[in-house]
Amino acid sequence: MNPRRAAWAYLSQAALGPCAPLVELVAAVGPEDAARAVRQADLPEVLRSRTAARRDLDTAERDLAAVERLGGRLLTPDDDDWPAWKLLAFDAMDQRRDRECAPPLALWVLGSRSLTELTERAVAVVGTRAATGYGEHVTTQFVDDLAGEGWTVVSGAAYGVDGAAHRAALAAGAPTVAVLACGVDRAYPAGHARLLREIAREGAVLSEYPPGTAPARHRFLARNRLVAGLSDAVLVVEAGARSGARNTAVWAAGLGRPVLAVPGPVTSASSVGCHRMIRDGEAVLASRAADVSVAAGPIRAGESEGGPARPLDGLSHKAAVVYEAFPASGSVGVRQLSEDSGLPVEAVRGALPVLELEGLVGSDETGWFRRG
Amino acid sequence: MNPRRAAWAYLSQAALGPCAPLVELVAAVGPEDAARAVRQADLPEVLRSRTAARRDLDTAERDLAAVERLGGRLLTPDDDDWPAWKLLAFDAMDQRRDRECAPPLALWVLGSRSLTELTERAVAVVGTRAATGYGEHVTTQFVDDLAGEGWTVVSGAAYGVDGAAHRAALAAGAPTVAVLACGVDRAYPAGHARLLREIAREGAVLSEYPPGTAPARHRFLARNRLVAGLSDAVLVVEAGARSGARNTAVWAAGLGRPVLAVPGPVTSASSVGCHRMIRDGEAVLASRAADVSVAAGPIRAGESEGGPARPLDGLSHKAAVVYEAFPASGSVGVRQLSEDSGLPVEAVRGALPVLELEGLVGSDETGWFRRG
């Protein structure tokens, strides 16, 4: 077993969910040293207490075997396919670390397609489990149109709107991504076991929780941030007064992603949440798929908001992330770039020569700097 | 025949619709001198050409007889019941006189109740003639709740949403006001002849056009400004892509009245206009009657926006209008107050002693001034 891979798996199990300080530690010292520090409780107090309960679990081998048996893999920041570029915006939430708005440490993924490619143009379509016939109809209509425009549909595989969104994407022959609040070995909800297999075959089923993890309320909330973070916009089709879809919308807004909501009859309890979000300015009213793609369109992967897209075209996503981490002027060191990009020092070291070759950055005795 | 009354009727027929310069002329010189000037074409060019086609018509006697035969009356700024206070906000649109956003010269009214009292708390409920079952149901629901809170419902007596709004108000035993785009002697639409008789009995049917005037497209647009101007808020229940209800909403926005729209299924053509208004920020989403009354509530008759309500309580509306016309400091003359209030000099002269008695204004050798 690759010891670095095992370290990632160990850390995923020890953290069991979002853990910003651990992501930072790994970025600074790499997964193996981080795993060793966790095991030995050689950590700052906040991390020691956060990992105390699970640091003696070592299920890495079992977990890696479990995901491989399902034809899946553990995806980490080491991999070219790591969708760090989509999670970049999490940096904007540094001040809110207490809300655990961190990128995931790693992702357990079923499906052979590149997650980066799958989510290059992605829209989250979410909503209440108690979808009405109207809600299912509208979900199908929107997804069918979005699929036709080349958008991947990201959702949570729940009953109701989520399930209708995945099914409509599959029916349209478009890829779709399901983000789970439990291990990818668990079919949750049970009635969607077959749907989840189809999603894995055509797109991806993923989770930040290791195999065997049971769904729990706080995991749904943490999962919602990944649904938002992997998407260029979030569409809420139907939401009751207390729908979790609204939580996804809050993450999306925090990440600077457009949030849209579909109105419905004011007589329908399943539209109450959508109407409230529209009325309160938390969501833009969407009456057709074009409203969504127009909102989602301008901000593309690898771009900072409003920034020019051109120089980053053709770069690997990791290189683009490193480039984005450069200050507009002045020199920086590798360590600083690692911190600002959220990528391990090694990854930064690997990306710099590529950026230099492209003429995008240069170096001198003071460090690395952006060109032009 | 009272010559002053005959002059108003003559001017209403000569103008045949909104005519800001004529309203100004009448405010300055009174209706009889204004009528004489129109008859003799002794006018500024803009007014001469505007009245040239109709200045030789003298149907005043016939028109007054016609409205009296129907149990109605001609309501003018001479009357205590003239709803000038609601039209005050038209002053805000002075710059847009070219759009004919003027108060009406006079109103032809069927119904014995005081228009001022009827519209003291009034909400316009308007929408497409092509209302769906959903639209009629929602109209009835909103109006029933608004009627229960003591709101008068103002609308345009058209088929569809307008008719449902009037009917629901009548069914709830609440007053309702229909503003027509033709003479009040015309039942338009014909299928609403009986409904219009009921509205006149319980509330009011009114028009700025004299008896005999036929409906015409531009008159519907001019009528919509009165629907908005008589109301504290405008609710659009259903509107297609090109519904006239949106025109009413534009007037309302220009007059500083809140505009609300009810969402519906995105699959319904009759909600397209509402959704567009909400999406574009022209209307606030309303999902229940309380949304409307909350929006309409804060701005009350006789108050300037945000101004304190107390000192004006108990004043006649005309006195309140004159009081509002006072500058915050400094003295003014009667002529200036007439210009700023839009009321005839005589009306201002009548109101000043009342205001002085209430301790709200005082006078000295420099003119009249506001107290405290």
Side-chain angles (χ1 to χ4, degrees):
Chain A
M1 189 170 60
N2 177 331
R4 189 170 170 100
R5 211 130 199 86
W8 280 115
Y10 166 79
L11 291 166
S12 176
Q13 186 65 262
L16 201 68
C19 184
L22 193 52
V23 170
E24 281 169 13
L25 179 68
V26 175
V29 305
E32 288 166 281
D33 283 355
R36 202 170 304 122
V38 170
R39 245 184 223 108
Q40 298 167 359
D42 177 18
L43 294 165
E45 175 50 30
V46 58
L47 256 180
R48 193 162 56 229
S49 60
R50 173 74 172 72
T51 55
R54 307 182 57 82
R55 71 171 179 242
D56 294 331
L57 291 176
D58 201 346
T59 57
E61 197 167 346
R62 188 196 73 189
D63 294 343
L64 287 165
V67 77
E68 273 157 30
R69 217 164 29 239
L70 294 164
R73 66 198 191 279
L74 176 61
L75 187 66
T76 76
D78 289 344
D79 299 303
D80 279 341
D81 191 25
W82 179 250
W85 44 271
K86 282 273 183 177
L87 296 165
L88 244 192
F90 280 114
D91 291 353
M93 299 192 70
D94 273 354
Q95 296 87 333
R96 301 208 224 159
R97 280 283 156 86
D98 54 320
R99 290 187 53 205
E100 296 279 24
C101 189
L105 259 173
L107 293 172
W108 303 83
V109 184
L110 301 188
S112 55
R113 299 185 56 173
S114 153
L115 186 59
T116 299
E117 281 169 20
L118 278 174
T119 56
E120 191 172 352
R121 277 168 62 80
V123 168
V125 178
V126 297
T128 179
R129 287 188 300 274
T132 64
Y134 167 73
E136 299 211 351
H137 171 76
V138 168
T139 302
T140 303
Q141 199 68 61
F142 271 74
V143 167
D144 195 55
D145 291 346
L146 289 168
E149 291 180 33
W151 293 95
T152 294
V153 169
V154 180
S155 195
Y159 289 129
V161 171
D162 288 21
H166 291 301
R167 274 193 299 272
L170 292 169
T176 182
V177 174
V179 186
L180 304 189
C182 57
V184 292
D185 58 328
R186 295 235 172 174
Y188 186 90
H192 279 174
R194 190 173 148 196
L195 176 62
L196 285 163
R197 281 197 301 274
E198 285 179 49
I199 296 169
R201 197 164 57 230
E202 305 296 331
V205 172
L206 60 88
S207 174
E208 68 184 308
Y209 300 100
T213 309
R217 183 174 151 68
H218 69 278
R219 288 183 193 133
F220 286 101
L221 300 177
R223 180 273 308 270
N224 292 343
R225 90 188 192 290
L226 296 187
V227 170
L230 285 167
S231 306
D232 293 299
V234 170
L235 175 70
V236 184
V237 179
E238 279 191 319
R242 300 167 157 279
S243 174
R246 218 171 156 202
N247 172 256
T248 307
V250 169
W251 285 117
L255 294 169
R257 309 282 197 268
V259 179
L260 301 102
V262 180
V266 294
T267 47
S268 165
S270 296
S271 285
V272 166
C274 288
H275 292 157
R276 193 186 301 157
M277 290 166 63
I278 294 167
R279 192 196 56 197
D280 295 349
E282 295 169 11
V284 172
L285 186 149
S287 52
R288 56 209 175 100
D291 294 334
V292 183
S293 49
V294 164
I299 299 173
R300 292 293 305 280
E303 293 169 27
S304 59
E305 225 167 312
R310 296 302 102 200
L312 304 183
D313 285 0
L315 283 185
S316 81
H317 294 289
K318 197 170 287 177
V321 169
V322 173
Y323 180 75
E324 290 289 339
F326 270 83
S329 65
S331 296
V332 278
V334 171
R335 170 60 51 99
Q336 186 67 44
L337 287 169
S338 165
E339 279 178 37
D340 291 349
S341 66
L343 293 176
V345 167
E346 307 98 291
V348 173
R349 284 217 185 87
L352 287 170
V354 178
L355 294 171
E356 193 167 25
L357 208 65
E358 294 284 335
L360 293 168
V361 307
S363 65
D364 60 19
E365 66 281 1
T366 67
W368 293 86
F369 53 85
R370 198 184 269 231
R371 281 195 194 278
Chain B
M1 190 170 59
N2 176 331
R4 190 170 170 100
R5 211 131 198 85
W8 280 116
Y10 166 79
L11 290 166
S12 176
Q13 186 66 262
L16 201 69
C19 184
L22 192 52
V23 170
E24 281 169 14
L25 179 68
V26 175
V29 305
E32 288 166 281
D33 282 355
R36 201 170 303 123
V38 170
R39 245 184 223 107
Q40 297 167 1
D42 177 19
L43 294 165
E45 174 51 29
V46 57
L47 256 179
R48 192 161 57 231
S49 60
R50 172 75 173 72
T51 55
R54 309 182 57 81
R55 70 169 178 243
D56 295 330
L57 290 176
D58 200 347
T59 58
E61 197 168 347
R62 188 196 72 190
D63 294 342
L64 287 166
V67 76
E68 274 157 30
R69 220 167 22 244
L70 293 165
R73 66 198 192 279
L74 176 61
L75 187 67
T76 76
D78 289 343
D79 299 302
D80 279 339
D81 192 27
W82 180 248
W85 45 271
K86 282 272 186 179
L87 296 165
L88 244 193
F90 279 114
D91 290 353
M93 300 193 68
D94 273 355
Q95 296 88 334
R96 302 208 222 159
R97 279 283 155 84
D98 55 320
R99 290 186 54 205
E100 296 280 23
C101 188
L105 259 173
L107 292 172
W108 303 82
V109 184
L110 301 188
S112 54
R113 298 186 56 174
S114 153
L115 186 59
T116 298
E117 281 170 20
L118 277 174
T119 56
E120 190 172 352
R121 277 167 63 79
V123 168
V125 178
V126 298
T128 179
R129 288 188 299 275
T132 64
Y134 167 74
E136 299 211 350
H137 171 75
V138 167
T139 302
T140 303
Q141 198 69 61
F142 271 74
V143 168
D144 195 53
D145 291 346
L146 290 167
E149 292 180 33
W151 293 95
T152 295
V153 170
V154 180
S155 195
Y159 289 130
V161 172
D162 288 20
H166 291 302
R167 273 193 301 270
L170 292 170
T176 183
V177 174
V179 186
L180 304 188
C182 58
V184 292
D185 59 327
R186 295 233 172 176
Y188 186 89
H192 277 176
R194 192 175 145 194
L195 176 62
L196 286 164
R197 281 197 301 275
E198 285 179 48
I199 297 170
R201 197 164 57 231
E202 306 296 332
V205 172
L206 60 89
S207 174
E208 69 184 307
Y209 300 100
T213 309
R217 182 173 151 69
H218 68 279
R219 289 183 193 133
F220 286 101
L221 300 178
R223 179 272 308 269
N224 292 344
R225 91 188 192 291
L226 295 188
V227 170
L230 285 169
S231 306
D232 294 297
V234 171
L235 175 70
V236 184
V237 179
E238 279 191 321
R242 300 168 159 278
S243 172
R246 220 172 154 203
N247 171 256
T248 307
V250 169
W251 284 118
L255 294 170
R257 309 281 198 269
V259 179
L260 300 102
V262 179
V266 294
T267 47
S268 166
S270 295
S271 286
V272 166
C274 288
H275 292 158
R276 193 187 301 155
M277 289 166 63
I278 293 168
R279 192 195 58 200
D280 295 349
E282 294 170 11
V284 171
L285 185 149
S287 51
R288 58 209 173 98
D291 294 335
V292 183
S293 48
V294 164
I299 300 172
R300 292 292 306 279
E303 294 169 25
S304 61
E305 225 167 313
R310 296 301 103 200
L312 304 184
D313 286 0
L315 284 184
S316 82
H317 295 288
K318 196 169 287 175
V321 170
V322 173
Y323 180 75
E324 289 290 338
F326 271 82
S329 64
S331 296
V332 278
V334 171
R335 170 59 51 99
Q336 186 67 44
L337 286 170
S338 165
E339 280 179 36
D340 292 348
S341 66
L343 293 176
V345 167
E346 308 98 290
V348 173
R349 284 216 184 88
L352 286 171
V354 178
L355 293 171
E356 194 167 25
L357 208 63
E358 294 283 334
L360 292 168
V361 307
S363 64
D364 60 19
E365 67 281 1
T366 66
W368 292 86
F369 53 85
R370 197 185 270 231
R371 281 196 195 276

